[in-house]
Amino acid sequence: MEQTAVEKKFGKYVMASMITMFLQSAYSMIDGLFVSNLIGDTALSAVNVAWPIIAVVTAIGTGVGCGGAVMMSTKQGEGKNEESNIVRANVILALLASSIVVTILFLILLTPLLKLMGAEGELLRLSQIYGRVMLTGGVLQILSCGLTPLLRNDNRAVSAMMIMVGGLFVNLGLDFVFMYVFHMGIGGAAGASLCAQLFTTLCCLIILGTKKTDPIRFSQFIIRKEYWKKIFKTAVSPFGISLTPSLLILYHNVACLKFGGDLAVKAYALISSTVGSYRVLLIGVAEGIQPLASYAYGAHDFHAIRKIRNKAVITAIGVSFFLFIFTIATARFYPAIYGYEGEAAELGYHAVMVTAAQLIFTGLVRVTNSFFYSVGKDKYSLFMIYFDPLIMTPLTIVILPRILGLDGIWITAVVTQFILNIVAFGMFASHERQMKRMEAEKAFAGK
């Protein structure tokens, strides 16, 4: 990647990343559409209840992949391409090691965790079936999520997007075959997702191994402990970005069970399948800037860093407002699309309308998260990522429902994202002052 071309690649990387992230999240959305219409809305709730557990697995893959990708781009910005290739090989080894440990651990803990979240009866049974199948393929989930960032940072953002398009069609086709033709139920939905992830993994490995410049070679698989340490340290931020939505689903499901029972869980499942999926587009904007920002950071190109940051903020805010308006305009159709009827349909529609405003504020938060870990400001990034799911949302979701009832649950994300926007503006102002000092020191050293 030429240093002078970094800014020109902004649109290509961001658009490809947005589509890739949306398609990655579409696996659960497609499963939800099939299970809700072919099995029932309890099955959709089961997918939603089990997903936070499964999402830990995918978040580990995303975290390790993105953590290594940041290191790769930084090395490339420094002009150290061979070291970047060795980093890439170590990322693949780290993904394999992580997948084995995580798969075994979560298969053992699945049922206790589902019960801890309040699942029981038919909801528990369906959640167990879906979760066991998905977790059995934990290696595929971690590899498919972890290899995509490597492609993106190897200047293969469009290839990564096309692979996800192919995986989506595989998932869609096999959902129909497994569930409609062979009547395999919710387990068939999970099996279709795993087959799609197998397709994604194989395609990523083939492209990385056959590319004309800097292909993967066995000689590059040299275990470097210092690389693993840096990869996992940086991985904490993208891991949190990927996992946070699922942690929020967990908190909301528990609150829904407490304040509204199964009907409220179904309403929140509709939010997760619609507003939650749109939110992933904003993560795509944020992750799209990562290769560019990390490369510019490695090259000490402060002008490019500033341009990339400003474009990302403007793009994210623009997309945020578009998604909010789109959600309000289309919300009435969502219950019917997912097979909701009667009271469940009305409550689901109301819940989506109340919580849609969170989209206005989510874009800036997502860009802040990704930008700071991409340019080595891990403390800023970690605060933005973990303050919400570990402190703000748990406190807010305990307080607001006691005041506003179920509306307190739906509005929780609106309140927390608004507060994080204020924090984000303060962090960007602080970082701008730091960059100006670094520019002054660089200019003085050059004299």
Side-chain angles (χ1 to χ4, degrees):
M1 191 189 303
E2 293 295 330
Q3 187 169 329
T4 56
V6 169
E7 293 176 42
K8 295 180 181 179
K9 293 178 179 289
F10 180 89
K12 172 185 172 182
Y13 272 68
V14 167
M15 183 56 68
S17 180
M18 286 175 64
I19 296 173
T20 300
M21 292 299 296
F22 181 76
L23 294 176
Q24 199 171 69
S25 73
Y27 289 142
S28 62
M29 184 171 63
I30 289 174
D31 286 350
L33 281 169
F34 272 93
V35 299
S36 63
N37 284 284
L38 295 179
I39 306 175
D41 49 18
T42 300
L44 177 61
S45 297
V47 173
N48 198 52
V49 168
W51 194 254
I53 300 171
I54 299 161
V56 175
V57 178
T58 60
I60 288 171
T62 300
V64 174
C66 288
V70 167
M71 193 173 177
M72 282 175 57
S73 291
T74 303
K75 293 291 184 184
Q76 290 166 4
E78 294 171 351
K80 301 175 180 177
N81 287 340
E82 185 55 37
E83 285 191 42
S84 176
N85 294 335
I86 296 174
V87 170
R88 180 182 58 192
N90 275 262
V91 173
I92 295 173
L93 293 174
L95 288 169
L96 287 170
S98 301
S99 65
I100 294 171
V101 174
V102 170
T103 297
I104 295 172
L105 178 64
F106 279 91
L107 278 172
I108 294 171
L109 295 176
L110 175 62
T111 298
L113 287 173
L114 289 173
K115 290 181 178 179
L116 185 64
M117 288 187 286
E120 55 185 24
E122 182 68 2
L123 181 62
L124 175 61
R125 186 184 74 83
L126 292 173
S127 299
Q128 287 174 316
I129 294 171
Y130 186 79
R132 282 170 183 159
V133 176
M134 290 294 284
L135 290 173
T136 300
V139 173
L140 293 176
Q141 293 191 66
I142 285 181
L143 284 175
S144 64
C145 291
L147 291 174
T148 303
L150 300 188
L151 278 184
R152 188 176 65 226
N153 284 55
D154 251 354
N155 203 22
R156 294 292 187 277
V158 176
S159 297
M161 179 188 71
M162 295 307 298
I163 289 172
M164 293 307 300
V165 171
L168 184 66
F169 279 108
V170 170
N171 191 27
L172 182 62
L174 291 181
D175 264 328
F176 177 80
V177 172
F178 290 167
M179 299 183 68
Y180 187 78
V181 178
F182 293 112
H183 306 289
M184 295 172 63
I186 197 169
S193 290
L194 290 183
C195 289
Q197 288 166 338
L198 174 61
F199 170 85
T200 300
T201 299
L202 292 176
C203 288
C204 287
L205 290 174
I206 290 170
I207 290 177
L208 289 172
T210 59
K211 54 182 300 212
K212 293 181 180 179
T213 57
D214 296 322
I216 291 177
R217 292 290 180 261
F218 285 113
S219 59
Q220 297 166 359
F221 286 83
I222 305 167
I223 295 179
R224 299 280 182 86
K225 293 182 180 179
E226 67 274 18
Y227 288 176
W228 283 52
K229 182 178 179 181
K230 178 64 176 176
I231 289 168
F232 281 105
K233 179 182 177 182
T234 307
V236 176
S237 291
F239 169 80
I241 292 172
S242 181
L243 183 62
T244 293
S246 297
L247 277 178
L248 300 182
I249 290 175
L250 171 61
Y251 296 148
H252 284 76
N253 278 334
V254 171
C256 286
L257 284 168
K258 181 176 181 180
F259 290 98
D262 288 346
L263 192 64
V265 173
K266 293 174 184 178
Y268 189 71
L270 190 65
I271 291 174
S272 298
S273 298
T274 55
V275 176
S277 297
Y278 303 155
R279 207 164 45 204
V280 172
L281 286 169
L282 299 169
I283 297 178
V285 175
E287 290 303 295
I289 69 170
Q290 180 270 306
L292 306 176
S294 294
Y295 185 92
Y297 173 69
H300 301 291
D301 188 343
F302 300 110
H303 174 74
I305 290 173
R306 189 175 286 111
K307 283 284 189 179
I308 291 164
R309 178 199 64 197
N310 293 345
K311 286 184 178 182
V313 169
I314 293 171
T315 302
I317 292 175
V319 173
S320 292
F321 273 95
F322 170 79
L323 291 175
F324 168 68
I325 294 170
F326 177 81
T327 302
I328 295 298
T330 58
R332 179 55 74 180
F333 300 104
Y334 298 154
I337 292 173
Y338 284 88
Y340 283 40
E341 297 178 345
E343 192 177 358
E346 285 303 313
L347 182 59
Y349 166 71
H350 175 74
V352 169
M353 291 294 286
V354 172
T355 197
Q358 67 175 278
L359 292 168
I360 297 173
F361 308 110
T362 301
L364 180 62
V365 174
R366 295 291 179 255
V367 165
T368 306
N369 295 345
S370 296
F371 174 78
F372 282 124
Y373 84 73
S374 299
V375 296
K377 302 297 293 184
D378 291 334
K379 290 182 180 179
Y380 283 13
S381 180
L382 290 173
F383 178 85
M384 285 293 294
I385 293 167
Y386 288 100
F387 180 64
D388 180 19
L390 297 184
I391 298 176
M392 266 211 308
T393 291
L395 286 176
T396 308
I397 209 165
V398 167
I399 296 169
L400 290 183
R402 286 175 165 77
I403 302 171
L404 302 173
L406 286 178
D407 280 352
I409 299 176
W410 315 142
I411 205 172
T412 290
V414 181
V415 174
T416 57
Q417 295 300 294
F418 173 74
I419 295 172
L420 287 174
N421 270 236
I422 297 173
V423 177
F425 278 114
M427 286 185 172
F428 278 126
S430 175
H431 183 246
E432 177 63 25
R433 290 193 295 271
Q434 293 175 23
M435 282 204 299
K436 286 181 177 178
R437 286 197 299 269
M438 293 171 69
E439 284 178 314
E441 291 171 2
K442 182 179 179 180
F444 180 77
K447 290 182 180 180

